[in-house]
């Protein structure tokens, strides 16, 4: 999977406006989600995990109680690829069924 060019990246980022791009951290995107409680946060993580495993593209994430922060990057592309953008879209869709 190849890394997005600067132009491709700018276009892709505008399709996932709630994700922040962090070039200083090696070219990744990140977003924090807040749920009603731990049960909802973990249900969200479970749905994302099943999708990620099927797609063989996995989030780097950190959970404390009702918060989940997620980082997406593509190691073999050494930066952001279309797979990160695709996973961000799926994660947003899943989160929309849980967030208030
Ligand atoms: N997930 C993410 N987010 N980035 C990767 O580069 C990646 C992955 N690589 N999941 C995959 C697994 C790779 O290690 C396997 C062998 O396909």
């Amino acid at each position: 999977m190849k890394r997005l060019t600067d132009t491709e990246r700018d276009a892709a980022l505008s399709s996932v406006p709630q994700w922040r791009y962090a070039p200083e951290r090696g070219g990744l995107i990140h977003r924090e989600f807040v749920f009603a409680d731990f049960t909802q946060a973990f249900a969200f993580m479970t749905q994302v995990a099943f999708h990620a495993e099927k797609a063989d593209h996995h989030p780097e994430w950190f959970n404390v109680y009702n918060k989940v922060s997620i980082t997406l990057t593509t190691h073999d592309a050494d930066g952001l690829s279309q797979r990160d953008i695709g996973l961000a879209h799926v994660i947003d869709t899943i989160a929309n069924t849980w967030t208030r």
Side-chain angles (χ1 to χ4, degrees):
M1 180 56 51
K2 69 175 179 51
R3 182 160 48 162
L4 296 173
T5 65
D6 290 359
T7 314
E8 289 168 342
R9 187 195 62 228
D10 289 347
L13 288 175
S14 64
S15 74
V16 285
Q18 287 156 305
W19 292 77
R20 292 284 156 271
Y21 178 56
E24 75 286 0
R25 289 168 64 194
L28 55 79
I29 52 174
H30 63 97
R31 183 180 170 190
E32 183 164 282
F33 297 87
V34 182
F35 297 89
D37 53 28
F38 176 75
T39 301
Q40 287 199 12
F42 203 78
F44 161 75
M45 293 175 78
T46 304
Q47 286 193 26
V48 172
F50 280 119
H51 173 86
E53 184 54 17
K54 237 186 294 174
D56 192 32
H57 200 65
H58 304 83
E60 297 173 24
W61 52 14
F62 183 76
N63 161 242
V64 180
Y65 181 52
N66 65 336
K67 294 199 179 91
V68 182
S69 51
I70 302 185
T71 293
L72 303 177
T73 191
T74 301
H75 310 121
D76 40 1
D78 201 25
L80 211 58
S81 78
Q82 193 53 48
R83 302 189 76 193
D84 300 307
I85 304 301
L87 182 55
H89 276 290
V90 170
I91 290 174
D92 283 349
T93 302
I94 293 171
N96 283 339
T97 67
W98 295 100
T99 39
R100 291 155 296 172

